[in-house]
Amino acid sequence: MSQEQLIQIRDLVKTKLLKLCQLLGAATLGFFQSTGAFAFFTIRSVSHCIRPPFYMSQFIRQFIDIGYYCLPVVGLTALFSGMVLALQSYSGFSRFSAEGAIATVVVLSMTRELGPVMAGLMVAGRIGASIAAELGTMRVTEQIDALTTLSTNPIKYLVVPRIVAGTAMLPALVLLADIIGVFGGFLVSVYRLDFNAANYVDQTWRYLENMDVISGLVKASAFGFIVTLMGCYFGFNSKGGAQGVGAATTNAVVSSSILILISNYLLTGLFFAK
Amino acid sequence: MTNTVPKIELKNVRKAFGGKKVLNGVDVSVEKGQSLVIIGGSGTGKSVTLKCILGILEADSGSIKIDGNETRTLQGRKRDVLLDEFGMLFQGAALFDSLPVWKNVSFKLMQARRMPAKEAKDIAVHKLSQVGLGADVADLFPAELSGGMQKRVSLARAIAADPKIIFFDEPTTGLDPIMADVINDLIVKCVHTLGATAVSITHDMASARKIADRIAMIYQGQIIWNGKKEDIDHSGNEYVDQFINGRAEGPIQMQVLKH
């Protein structure tokens, strides 16, 4: 009897283990499959960026959508970030009488870090989501297939203009965000903390190097590429109906936000010089 | 039957999604200027067949010949050239909702053939009149139209670039019987005027009888019957009989009943 029980238990463990292996295998295969699909999509999109024909009206629409319509939200974020930055660094720096460094701290933090990251995240929420939702709806209502039957490559018509506009417009947005953010710090320092205005402006310029601004703009460009690419990828591959489009939107925003933060560290490391 | 090359010829076309085999060796051919209607239940591979011919999906194996040339694996520029001959009416109309009606209709002319806007709009208005819509519709957006009107606009878009081959995916689904008949008449008229080869998929027998020269029935990824429209009522095939009479009892068991 005990022998029988043992065999039963052994068989049970065997089937359970097999199931576990199957699950693991399926998950691993799925992971590589989606990584491959994503890499293929990226290569295809980028290669189409440099091959004509180009759809000018689409480019213009996307440039306006990303460059112009994101301006209020990015500007507002930058303004308040700069203001908070001035207040917070004051409460820290005043403890060892280093208030004079606030202008430098504000401008460096804005240009090197907060400008690109804040703008990237805001654009991920605004543009990444709208791209994923728009392309996702076009996919589930067969509009993307319709493009193909109308002799128009959907990657060229839908994806390329968005990626190019994102990569090109984010640096412009961030440059404005830098200026607005520094201005926010200036407002707080001068009107709340009673700094001398001329001194503050002078301090802002004194330690600022070209590389601070440029590294921020390069980051911005990378973030713009990430946001639009993720939006397009998830939208393009959305399945099912309303639920599929919803999932695509969430995935686009979440994954582009995470990728922004990770690539932010990598790019900072790249530009970092001791 | 004839010694000419068929316009479209599928031989042993197979397509699987993961482990799920959707097409199990489809064999069917359409002569030039003929109208073939493929009938079959939901999920039997009708749409996949059309998408494989268009190249939206790539068939796993088999042969898909257009005018005698193999096209199954065509990519890029060559595929674009081939697709220039095609027009398609989608089930849900699939109009671009960001564009007004006339830009939808003339999309291929303007985007792929680089036609100036004014000329393209004239053609769009003309094509809209062919499907019974007035010039006032041209400047509306698709969301402002009823389902039947959207289908008609989509039909106008499909015929706008004078295609040699037109596909109709469930042209009458979701329409009331009268509007469905209007669409059927329009399809017959447009195909006739263009002299195009047409392939339609539907499960609406009234529509099939109206627009078909030949009817083929697809079941479990294979063509199980193929013949003239007049022969469908005495096909001698019990699957076909069950389908055209719409009986729940018969050799075709719906998947839902099994589980």
Side-chain angles (χ1 to χ4, degrees):
Chain A
M1 182 197 122
S2 67
Q3 186 78 15
E4 251 173 44
Q5 268 183 336
L6 268 179
I7 289 173
Q8 263 184 359
I9 291 170
R10 199 190 63 190
D11 285 352
L12 192 72
V13 170
K14 245 187 189 171
T15 50
K16 289 275 173 203
L17 269 179
L18 208 65
K19 271 234 173 84
L20 188 72
C21 289
Q22 271 173 354
L23 272 176
L24 272 177
T28 317
L29 274 181
F31 173 74
F32 282 115
Q33 206 169 29
S34 43
T35 314
F38 177 66
F40 186 63
F41 183 84
T42 311
I43 293 167
R44 221 155 48 119
S45 306
V46 172
S47 79
H48 274 296
C49 285
I50 48 174
R51 281 187 287 166
F54 301 112
Y55 299 101
M56 269 311 145
S57 58
Q58 290 297 307
F59 275 93
I60 293 167
R61 203 194 121 198
Q62 294 309 323
F63 271 91
I64 293 173
D65 236 24
I66 298 176
Y68 183 69
Y69 287 110
C70 282
L71 201 53
V73 58
V74 169
L76 210 66
T77 323
L79 181 71
F80 283 101
S81 304
M83 286 162 69
V84 167
L85 213 51
L87 280 183
Q88 292 285 33
S89 36
Y90 184 85
S91 47
F93 282 31
S94 60
R95 291 176 198 177
F96 38 94
S97 315
E99 295 93 336
I102 287 177
T104 313
V105 168
V106 168
V107 72
L108 288 195
S109 315
M110 273 321 290
T111 53
R112 294 184 70 103
E113 184 63 33
L114 283 179
V117 172
M118 285 291 184
L121 292 177
M122 295 316 281
V123 170
R126 198 185 181 287
I127 293 298
S130 87
I131 289 177
E134 187 177 352
L135 297 198
T137 308
M138 289 186 79
R139 164 63 76 199
V140 300
T141 56
E142 294 186 302
Q143 290 181 47
I144 292 183
D145 290 342
L147 274 177
T148 309
T149 66
L150 295 168
S151 308
T152 305
N153 186 323
I155 297 238
K156 266 204 165 72
Y157 187 78
L158 296 173
V159 177
V160 168
R162 285 173 168 80
I163 291 184
V164 170
T167 315
M169 284 320 277
L170 250 237
L173 274 175
V174 165
L175 197 63
L176 282 169
D178 288 349
I179 296 167
I180 295 172
V182 169
F183 180 65
F186 171 85
L187 284 182
V188 167
S189 304
V190 171
Y191 293 104
R192 176 101 190 262
L193 306 171
D194 294 328
F195 277 52
N196 178 294
N199 257 346
Y200 187 92
V201 173
D202 181 53
Q203 278 288 325
T204 299
W205 284 113
R206 181 165 295 173
Y207 298 105
L208 186 68
E209 289 170 18
N210 287 340
M211 206 51 208
D212 297 326
V213 179
I214 291 169
S215 72
L217 298 185
V218 172
K219 275 183 181 180
S221 199
F223 298 163
F225 178 75
I226 288 172
V227 167
T228 45
L229 182 71
M230 297 317 266
C232 289
Y233 174 72
F234 284 106
F236 218 75
N237 292 299
S238 69
K239 288 191 180 72
Q243 203 183 11
V245 176
T249 312
T250 312
N251 284 337
V253 175
V254 171
S255 62
S256 52
S257 305
I258 291 173
L259 278 179
I260 283 177
L261 296 174
I262 295 174
S263 62
N264 179 41
Y265 177 76
L266 297 176
L267 285 170
T268 308
L270 201 70
F271 287 115
F272 181 76
K274 236 181 184 178
Chain B
M1 194 169 83
T2 50
N3 50 9
T4 50
V5 183
K7 188 75 183 168
I8 307 172
E9 189 175 26
L10 273 68
K11 274 201 183 129
N12 200 20
V13 174
R14 288 168 191 278
K15 174 76 187 170
F17 296 98
K20 192 166 178 276
K21 287 180 187 148
V22 179
L23 301 184
N24 274 319
V26 170
D27 293 291
V28 72
S29 66
V30 194
E31 302 296 324
K32 190 165 181 293
Q34 230 182 23
S35 171
L36 173 78
V37 171
I38 302 176
I39 57 172
S42 313
T44 47
K46 299 189 303 266
S47 297
V48 175
T49 309
L50 286 194
K51 285 183 177 169
C52 282
I53 301 174
L54 287 168
I56 294 171
L57 296 170
E58 192 181 309
D60 299 332
S61 63
S63 145
I64 299 172
K65 286 185 177 163
I66 312 277
D67 290 326
N69 301 316
E70 180 60 48
T71 63
R72 181 172 68 86
T73 54
L74 278 190
Q75 293 283 341
R77 186 81 55 196
K78 282 181 183 162
R79 172 65 69 184
D80 292 346
V81 171
L82 179 73
L83 282 174
D84 201 44
E85 291 197 355
F86 282 81
M88 175 148 177
L89 173 64
F90 283 86
Q91 184 175 357
L95 296 171
F96 305 124
D97 35 33
S98 57
L99 299 176
V101 164
W102 74 269
K103 279 192 176 173
N104 264 287
V105 174
S106 59
F107 191 89
K108 193 173 199 170
L109 302 171
M110 284 174 75
Q111 300 296 342
R113 298 192 186 163
R114 303 278 161 181
M115 188 182 276
K118 199 177 168 315
E119 202 180 327
K121 187 165 186 177
D122 289 344
I123 292 180
V125 170
H126 175 66
K127 295 287 175 183
L128 284 171
S129 74
Q130 284 190 353
V131 297
L133 294 172
D136 50 324
V137 177
D139 291 312
L140 297 177
F141 279 86
E144 299 172 87
L145 305 177
S146 70
M149 284 168 98
Q150 288 188 358
K151 273 265 160 76
R152 286 201 253 179
V153 172
S154 190
L155 179 60
R157 183 175 71 176
I159 61 170
D162 299 328
K164 297 194 176 68
I165 300 171
I166 316 185
F167 287 170
F168 301 99
D169 183 355
E170 310 270 4
T172 55
T173 301
L175 300 177
D176 68 75
I178 298 169
M179 182 53 79
D181 203 50
V182 169
I183 297 284
N184 287 334
D185 282 340
L186 286 172
I187 288 175
V188 172
K189 192 185 107 192
C190 292
V191 172
H192 189 73
T193 325
L194 287 171
T197 308
V199 179
S200 323
I201 56 181
T202 186
H203 47 237
D204 174 2
M205 282 313 298
S207 169
R209 283 173 204 277
K210 191 136 194 178
I211 59 184
D213 294 323
R214 292 181 75 82
I215 296 181
M217 169 137 176
I218 191 168
Y219 179 63
Q220 292 189 338
Q222 282 180 317
I223 301 289
I224 57 166
W225 188 82
N226 182 348
K228 288 198 187 115
K229 160 169 74 168
E230 296 77 24
D231 298 336
I232 188 117
D233 289 313
H234 32 89
S235 61
N237 185 313
E238 49 186 353
Y239 291 89
V240 176
D241 280 342
Q242 186 195 349
F243 188 85
I244 62 174
N245 294 311
R247 288 193 296 257
E249 302 296 318
I252 305 174
Q253 291 294 314
M254 285 290 154
Q255 294 291 321
V256 281
L257 297 176
K258 285 182 184 170
H259 295 287

